[in-house]
């Protein structure tokens, strides 16, 4: 009770209901509309936080339209409002905070979002494909800040945070035994959204997978890529030395990793498998000048994370179905 820190334990209670209806306007056009009503309460249980911090009645309309251009092409448009308690990010930040400090808490509102998306999908014979674009605006977005005394502060941003996402997915069936898939995504977070991240998020990523099932074998191969990023956009300022003379690189490089799994069936009940995650053992540490990380105050900086921290993992197993 004599400290400036606050436990982040909370009671969370939601009571709600929704109504929904679907309309087949024609053979080509489907409409779905829904309205959700929620009464939300979130109460921090620390003695220094009396009262109920969040007590809100929320109305969330949602709309979805699907249009069949022909047997192969389909368009879909969606729009809706949503909410999230600005508490669900706490567990993420637990791992990057000094356990001796704890928190101070300044949370009083629900996060509220409005989102719109459009997608165009294709499915014909051996190929499937889709393209989509989504934009989301969020008010009262959760953020990790700091008090003048240096105490981590769980708070919310004043401005509206926005993100636009583009993605493409293509799948192709190769004969009767193999499937090849490709996905690619790009995320454009505005400055307000980026200021909320404790760790630099992915901005560009792509993945190619091959699933091959010849006879009693199964081979799964995955190649993943993440694009380069400017860590200055996320407020990083770190050094390799306590004297703060050797700045950490702030241009995060692009990187790839490979996962592989091979399985063999022995009869109808038994399977032996072996595999590896991050097969070629790429880690962020391999690109750094020193494993030491210091921020501008000379403390260890555990937020300087832009790539994999776990190296190669090899596993094997035997499965028997009774």
């Amino acid at each position: 009770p004599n400290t400036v820190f606050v436990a982040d334990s909370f009671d969370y209670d939601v009571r709600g209901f929704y109504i929904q209806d679907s309309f087949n306007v024609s053979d080509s056009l489907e409409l779905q509309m829904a309205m959700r009503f929620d009464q939300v309460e979130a109460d921090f249980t620390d003695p220094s936080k009396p009262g109920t911090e969040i007590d809100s009645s929320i109305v969330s309309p949602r709309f979805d339209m699907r249009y069949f251009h022909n047997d192969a092409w389909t368009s879909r448009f969606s729009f809706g409002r949503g909410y999230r308690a600005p508490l669900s990010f706490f567990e993420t930040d637990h791992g990057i905070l000094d356990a001796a400090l704890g928190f101070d808490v300044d949370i009083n509102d629900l996060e509220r979002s409005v989102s719109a998306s459009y997608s165009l999908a294709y499915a014909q014979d051996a190929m499937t494909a889709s393209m989509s674009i989504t934009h989301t605006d969020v008010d009262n977005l959760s953020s990790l800040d700091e008090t003048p005394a240096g105490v981590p502060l769980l708070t919310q941003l004043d401005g509206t945070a926005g993100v636009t996402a583009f993605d493409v997915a293509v799948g192709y069936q190769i004969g009767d035994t193999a499937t090849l898939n490709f996905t690619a995504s790009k995320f454009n977070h505005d400055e307000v959204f980026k200021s909320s991240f404790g760790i630099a998020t992915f901005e560009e990523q792509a993945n190619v997978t091959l699933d091959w099932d010849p006879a009693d074998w199964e081979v799964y191969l995955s190649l993943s890529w993440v694009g380069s990023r400017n860590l200055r956009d996320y407020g990083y300022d770190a050094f390799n030395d306590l004297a703060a003379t050797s700045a950490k690189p702030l241009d995060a490089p692009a990187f790839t990793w490979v996962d592989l799994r091979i399985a063999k069936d022995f009869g109808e009940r038994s399977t032996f498998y072996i595999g590896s995650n991050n097969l070629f053992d790429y880690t962020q540490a391999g690109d750094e000048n020193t494993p030491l990380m210091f921020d501008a105050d000379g403390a260890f900086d555990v937020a300087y994370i832009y790539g994999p921290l776990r190296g190669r993992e090899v596993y094997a197993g035997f499965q028997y179905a009774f």
Side-chain angles (χ1 to χ4, degrees):
N2 296 322
T3 71
V4 294
F5 307 114
V6 178
D8 66 340
S9 299
F10 61 92
D11 293 329
Y12 184 60
D13 184 49
V14 178
R15 297 178 299 276
F17 70 95
Y18 72 93
I19 56 176
Q20 176 178 304
D21 205 351
S22 300
F23 306 89
N24 292 318
V25 181
S26 67
D27 291 340
S28 301
L29 181 61
E30 295 179 357
L31 300 178
Q32 288 188 341
M33 290 180 284
M35 185 74 72
R36 183 176 178 90
F37 304 87
D38 292 288
Q39 175 63 37
V40 184
E41 295 182 5
D43 179 22
F44 286 93
T45 58
D46 192 287
S48 67
K49 301 290 290 181
T52 300
E53 281 70 27
I54 296 176
D55 186 355
S56 300
S57 297
I58 300 296
V59 178
S60 303
R62 295 169 187 178
F63 171 82
D64 183 80
M65 179 188 73
R66 185 164 57 169
Y67 183 77
F68 300 93
H69 300 275
N70 50 46
D71 291 340
W73 293 92
T74 305
S75 285
R76 188 165 192 162
F77 173 76
S78 299
F79 173 85
R81 295 212 66 188
Y83 74 89
R84 185 182 74 167
L87 316 166
S88 54
F89 77 112
F90 287 6
E91 288 301 325
T92 300
D93 288 318
H94 277 176
I96 63 171
L97 293 175
D98 186 336
L101 291 181
F103 300 87
D104 195 2
V105 178
D106 183 20
I107 298 290
N108 298 288
D109 295 292
L110 293 170
E111 290 183 357
R112 291 288 277 151
S113 67
V114 58
S115 181
S117 66
Y118 170 77
S119 67
L120 179 64
Y122 172 85
Q124 192 75 18
D125 299 327
M127 176 176 285
T128 60
S130 66
M131 177 279 298
S132 70
I133 178 172
T134 303
H135 181 81
T136 303
D137 286 327
V138 184
D139 291 320
N140 309 320
L141 183 63
S142 305
S143 180
L144 183 63
D145 205 344
E146 189 176 82
T147 69
V151 178
L153 176 66
L154 303 176
T155 185
Q156 295 172 279
L157 299 178
D158 293 328
T160 298
V163 56
T164 303
F166 307 86
D167 67 75
V168 176
V170 180
Y172 189 79
Q173 183 74 33
I174 306 173
D176 296 328
T177 61
T179 303
L180 186 65
N181 291 295
F182 168 79
T183 60
S185 304
K186 181 175 178 59
F187 303 91
N188 289 330
H189 296 87
D190 64 14
E191 292 183 0
V192 177
F193 219 126
K194 286 183 178 180
S195 70
S196 71
F197 288 112
I199 303 295
T201 186
F202 290 171
E203 298 174 0
E204 299 173 328
Q205 59 187 105
N207 177 257
V208 179
T209 63
L210 173 65
D211 196 343
W212 182 37
D213 302 308
D216 296 329
W217 292 85
E218 180 183 357
V219 179
Y220 177 80
L221 178 66
S222 172
L223 170 65
S224 301
W225 171 87
V226 172
S228 60
R229 284 153 292 165
N230 182 355
L231 300 184
R232 299 169 188 83
D233 294 341
Y234 300 91
Y236 287 151
D237 184 16
F239 298 89
N240 290 318
D241 61 332
L242 282 172
T245 59
S246 175
K248 280 283 186 183
L250 297 179
D251 295 304
F255 61 89
T256 60
W257 74 94
V258 174
D259 299 332
L260 175 65
R261 183 181 187 273
I262 300 174
K264 176 69 169 70
D265 292 333
F266 296 93
E268 297 182 355
R269 296 178 178 271
S270 303
T271 302
F272 175 78
Y273 59 88
I274 186 171
S276 176
N277 296 325
N278 195 1
L279 179 64
F280 297 107
D281 199 29
Y282 173 78
T283 63
Q284 172 184 322
D287 292 333
E288 294 178 17
N289 300 325
T290 170
L292 299 177
M293 307 178 196
F294 301 100
D295 63 17
D297 298 322
F300 287 102
D301 177 7
V302 293
Y304 186 77
I305 299 172
Y306 60 82
L309 301 181
R310 177 179 294 180
R312 181 189 301 113
E313 177 187 30
V314 178
Y315 61 88
F318 180 78
Q319 178 177 317
Y320 182 82
F322 292 94

